[in-house]
PDB file of all heavy atoms in Angstrom:
ATOM      1  N   LEU A  49       1.422   4.629  -8.536  1.00 98.00           N
ATOM      2  CA  LEU A  49       1.070   3.253  -8.861  1.00 98.00           C
ATOM      3  C   LEU A  49       1.246   2.368  -7.649  1.00 98.00           C
ATOM      4  O   LEU A  49       1.997   2.691  -6.725  1.00 98.00           O
ATOM      5  CB  LEU A  49       1.905   2.728 -10.037  1.00 98.00           C
ATOM      6  CG  LEU A  49       3.411   2.524  -9.870  1.00 98.00           C
ATOM      7  CD1 LEU A  49       3.758   1.253  -9.091  1.00 98.00           C
ATOM      8  CD2 LEU A  49       4.088   2.471 -11.231  1.00 98.00           C
ATOM      9  N   VAL A  50       0.534   1.238  -7.674  1.00 98.00           N
ATOM     10  CA  VAL A  50       0.711   0.219  -6.642  1.00 98.00           C
ATOM     11  C   VAL A  50       0.633  -1.150  -7.323  1.00 98.00           C
ATOM     12  O   VAL A  50      -0.163  -1.340  -8.255  1.00 98.00           O
ATOM     13  CB  VAL A  50      -0.341   0.357  -5.508  1.00 98.00           C
ATOM     14  CG1 VAL A  50      -1.769   0.166  -5.995  1.00 98.00           C
ATOM     15  CG2 VAL A  50      -0.030  -0.605  -4.361  1.00 98.00           C
ATOM     16  N   THR A  52      -0.168  -5.067  -6.962  1.00 98.00           N
ATOM     17  CA  THR A  52      -0.917  -5.958  -6.079  1.00 98.00           C
ATOM     18  C   THR A  52      -0.858  -7.385  -6.612  1.00 98.00           C
ATOM     19  O   THR A  52      -1.107  -7.630  -7.787  1.00 98.00           O
ATOM     20  CB  THR A  52      -2.395  -5.523  -5.984  1.00 98.00           C
ATOM     21  OG1 THR A  52      -2.951  -5.521  -7.295  1.00 98.00           O
ATOM     22  CG2 THR A  52      -2.532  -4.142  -5.399  1.00 98.00           C
ATOM     23  N   LYS A  54      -1.929 -10.979  -7.584  1.00 98.00           N
ATOM     24  CA  LYS A  54      -3.231 -11.388  -8.124  1.00 98.00           C
ATOM     25  C   LYS A  54      -4.055 -12.198  -7.133  1.00 98.00           C
ATOM     26  O   LYS A  54      -5.268 -12.314  -7.287  1.00 98.00           O
ATOM     27  CB  LYS A  54      -3.036 -12.167  -9.433  1.00 98.00           C
ATOM     28  CG  LYS A  54      -2.669 -11.256 -10.591  1.00 98.00           C
ATOM     29  CD  LYS A  54      -2.508 -11.995 -11.903  1.00 98.00           C
ATOM     30  CE  LYS A  54      -2.233 -10.990 -13.033  1.00 98.00           C
ATOM     31  NZ  LYS A  54      -1.867 -11.645 -14.292  1.00 98.00           N
ATOM     32  N   VAL A 121      -7.044   5.047 -12.729  1.00 98.00           N
ATOM     33  CA  VAL A 121      -7.094   5.508 -14.126  1.00 98.00           C
ATOM     34  C   VAL A 121      -6.430   4.514 -15.077  1.00 98.00           C
ATOM     35  O   VAL A 121      -6.447   4.715 -16.287  1.00 98.00           O
ATOM     36  CB  VAL A 121      -6.459   6.914 -14.296  1.00 98.00           C
ATOM     37  CG1 VAL A 121      -7.281   7.966 -13.581  1.00 98.00           C
ATOM     38  CG2 VAL A 121      -5.008   6.927 -13.815  1.00 98.00           C
ATOM     39  N   GLY A 122      -5.854   3.446 -14.514  1.00 98.00           N
ATOM     40  CA  GLY A 122      -5.234   2.435 -15.373  1.00 98.00           C
ATOM     41  C   GLY A 122      -4.955   1.172 -14.587  1.00 98.00           C
ATOM     42  O   GLY A 122      -4.687   1.234 -13.384  1.00 98.00           O
ATOM     43  N   ALA A 123      -5.056   0.026 -15.270  1.00 98.00           N
ATOM     44  CA  ALA A 123      -4.723  -1.255 -14.649  1.00 98.00           C
ATOM     45  C   ALA A 123      -3.932  -2.066 -15.664  1.00 98.00           C
ATOM     46  O   ALA A 123      -4.357  -2.182 -16.823  1.00 98.00           O
ATOM     47  CB  ALA A 123      -5.993  -1.995 -14.236  1.00 98.00           C
ATOM     48  N   HIS A 124      -2.783  -2.560 -15.252  1.00 98.00           N
ATOM     49  CA  HIS A 124      -1.887  -3.235 -16.189  1.00 98.00           C
ATOM     50  C   HIS A 124      -1.541  -4.626 -15.671  1.00 98.00           C
ATOM     51  O   HIS A 124      -1.086  -4.777 -14.525  1.00 98.00           O
ATOM     52  CB  HIS A 124      -0.617  -2.392 -16.372  1.00 98.00           C
ATOM     53  CG  HIS A 124      -0.913  -0.988 -16.792  1.00 98.00           C
ATOM     54  ND1 HIS A 124      -1.093  -0.623 -18.111  1.00 98.00           N
ATOM     55  CD2 HIS A 124      -1.138   0.140 -16.054  1.00 98.00           C
ATOM     56  CE1 HIS A 124      -1.383   0.665 -18.172  1.00 98.00           C
ATOM     57  NE2 HIS A 124      -1.417   1.148 -16.937  1.00 98.00           N
ATOM     58  N   ASP A 125      -1.745  -5.611 -16.522  1.00 98.00           N
ATOM     59  CA  ASP A 125      -1.448  -6.999 -16.188  1.00 98.00           C
ATOM     60  C   ASP A 125       0.071  -7.169 -16.211  1.00 98.00           C
ATOM     61  O   ASP A 125       0.704  -6.888 -17.239  1.00 98.00           O
ATOM     62  CB  ASP A 125      -2.121  -7.880 -17.254  1.00 98.00           C
ATOM     63  CG  ASP A 125      -2.162  -9.336 -16.854  1.00 98.00           C
ATOM     64  OD1 ASP A 125      -1.394  -9.730 -15.948  1.00 98.00           O
ATOM     65  OD2 ASP A 125      -2.949 -10.089 -17.449  1.00 98.00           O
ATOM     66  N   ALA A 126       0.653  -7.613 -15.089  1.00 98.00           N
ATOM     67  CA  ALA A 126       2.113  -7.741 -15.017  1.00 98.00           C
ATOM     68  C   ALA A 126       2.467  -9.036 -14.293  1.00 98.00           C
ATOM     69  O   ALA A 126       2.665  -9.062 -13.074  1.00 98.00           O
ATOM     70  CB  ALA A 126       2.722  -6.535 -14.307  1.00 98.00           C
ATOM     71  N   GLY A 127       2.534 -10.142 -15.033  1.00 97.00           N
ATOM     72  CA  GLY A 127       2.921 -11.421 -14.442  1.00 97.00           C
ATOM     73  C   GLY A 127       1.954 -11.859 -13.361  1.00 97.00           C
ATOM     74  O   GLY A 127       0.747 -11.937 -13.594  1.00 97.00           O
ATOM     75  N   HIS A 129       1.216 -10.137 -10.765  1.00 98.00           N
ATOM     76  CA  HIS A 129       0.674  -8.930 -10.125  1.00 98.00           C
ATOM     77  C   HIS A 129      -0.160  -8.116 -11.127  1.00 98.00           C
ATOM     78  O   HIS A 129      -0.037  -8.274 -12.335  1.00 98.00           O
ATOM     79  CB  HIS A 129       1.807  -8.029  -9.598  1.00 98.00           C
ATOM     80  CG  HIS A 129       2.361  -8.481  -8.284  1.00 98.00           C
ATOM     81  ND1 HIS A 129       2.895  -9.732  -8.088  1.00 98.00           N
ATOM     82  CD2 HIS A 129       2.462  -7.851  -7.079  1.00 98.00           C
ATOM     83  CE1 HIS A 129       3.308  -9.854  -6.826  1.00 98.00           C
ATOM     84  NE2 HIS A 129       3.054  -8.726  -6.192  1.00 98.00           N
ATOM     85  N   TRP A 130      -0.984  -7.228 -10.597  1.00 98.00           N
ATOM     86  CA  TRP A 130      -1.594  -6.153 -11.373  1.00 98.00           C
ATOM     87  C   TRP A 130      -0.963  -4.850 -10.919  1.00 98.00           C
ATOM     88  O   TRP A 130      -0.694  -4.667  -9.732  1.00 98.00           O
ATOM     89  CB  TRP A 130      -3.113  -6.070 -11.135  1.00 98.00           C
ATOM     90  CG  TRP A 130      -3.900  -7.029 -11.958  1.00 98.00           C
ATOM     91  CD1 TRP A 130      -4.308  -8.274 -11.575  1.00 98.00           C
ATOM     92  CD2 TRP A 130      -4.382  -6.832 -13.302  1.00 98.00           C
ATOM     93  NE1 TRP A 130      -5.003  -8.872 -12.601  1.00 98.00           N
ATOM     94  CE2 TRP A 130      -5.067  -8.008 -13.663  1.00 98.00           C
ATOM     95  CE3 TRP A 130      -4.286  -5.789 -14.221  1.00 98.00           C
ATOM     96  CZ2 TRP A 130      -5.670  -8.167 -14.913  1.00 98.00           C
ATOM     97  CZ3 TRP A 130      -4.883  -5.947 -15.466  1.00 98.00           C
ATOM     98  CH2 TRP A 130      -5.566  -7.123 -15.803  1.00 98.00           C
ATOM     99  N   ILE A 131      -0.719  -3.973 -11.853  1.00 98.00           N
ATOM    100  CA  ILE A 131      -0.245  -2.626 -11.521  1.00 98.00           C
ATOM    101  C   ILE A 131      -1.434  -1.685 -11.674  1.00 98.00           C
ATOM    102  O   ILE A 131      -2.003  -1.565 -12.771  1.00 98.00           O
ATOM    103  CB  ILE A 131       0.879  -2.167 -12.471  1.00 98.00           C
ATOM    104  CG1 ILE A 131       2.062  -3.130 -12.415  1.00 98.00           C
ATOM    105  CG2 ILE A 131       1.314  -0.744 -12.132  1.00 98.00           C
ATOM    106  CD1 ILE A 131       3.101  -2.879 -13.512  1.00 98.00           C
ATOM    107  N   TYR A 132      -1.814  -1.039 -10.578  1.00 98.00           N
ATOM    108  CA  TYR A 132      -2.900  -0.052 -10.641  1.00 98.00           C
ATOM    109  C   TYR A 132      -2.297   1.346 -10.621  1.00 98.00           C
ATOM    110  O   TYR A 132      -1.467   1.659  -9.771  1.00 98.00           O
ATOM    111  CB  TYR A 132      -3.862  -0.206  -9.457  1.00 98.00           C
ATOM    112  CG  TYR A 132      -4.804  -1.363  -9.663  1.00 98.00           C
ATOM    113  CD1 TYR A 132      -4.524  -2.611  -9.120  1.00 98.00           C
ATOM    114  CD2 TYR A 132      -5.948  -1.221 -10.439  1.00 98.00           C
ATOM    115  CE1 TYR A 132      -5.367  -3.694  -9.338  1.00 98.00           C
ATOM    116  CE2 TYR A 132      -6.793  -2.294 -10.673  1.00 98.00           C
ATOM    117  CZ  TYR A 132      -6.496  -3.521 -10.124  1.00 98.00           C
ATOM    118  OH  TYR A 132      -7.324  -4.579 -10.363  1.00 98.00           O
ATOM    119  N   VAL A 133      -2.718   2.158 -11.559  1.00 98.00           N
ATOM    120  CA  VAL A 133      -2.299   3.557 -11.590  1.00 98.00           C
ATOM    121  C   VAL A 133      -3.473   4.395 -11.103  1.00 98.00           C
ATOM    122  O   VAL A 133      -4.615   4.197 -11.553  1.00 98.00           O
ATOM    123  CB  VAL A 133      -1.889   3.997 -13.016  1.00 98.00           C
ATOM    124  CG1 VAL A 133      -1.492   5.476 -13.031  1.00 98.00           C
ATOM    125  CG2 VAL A 133      -0.753   3.128 -13.532  1.00 98.00           C
TER     126      VAL A 133
END
Side-chain angles (χ1 to χ4, degrees):
L49 67 77
V50 62
T52 58
K54 285 182 176 171
V121 293
H124 305 274
D125 193 342
H129 280 58
W130 277 94
I131 301 170
Y132 282 96
V133 178

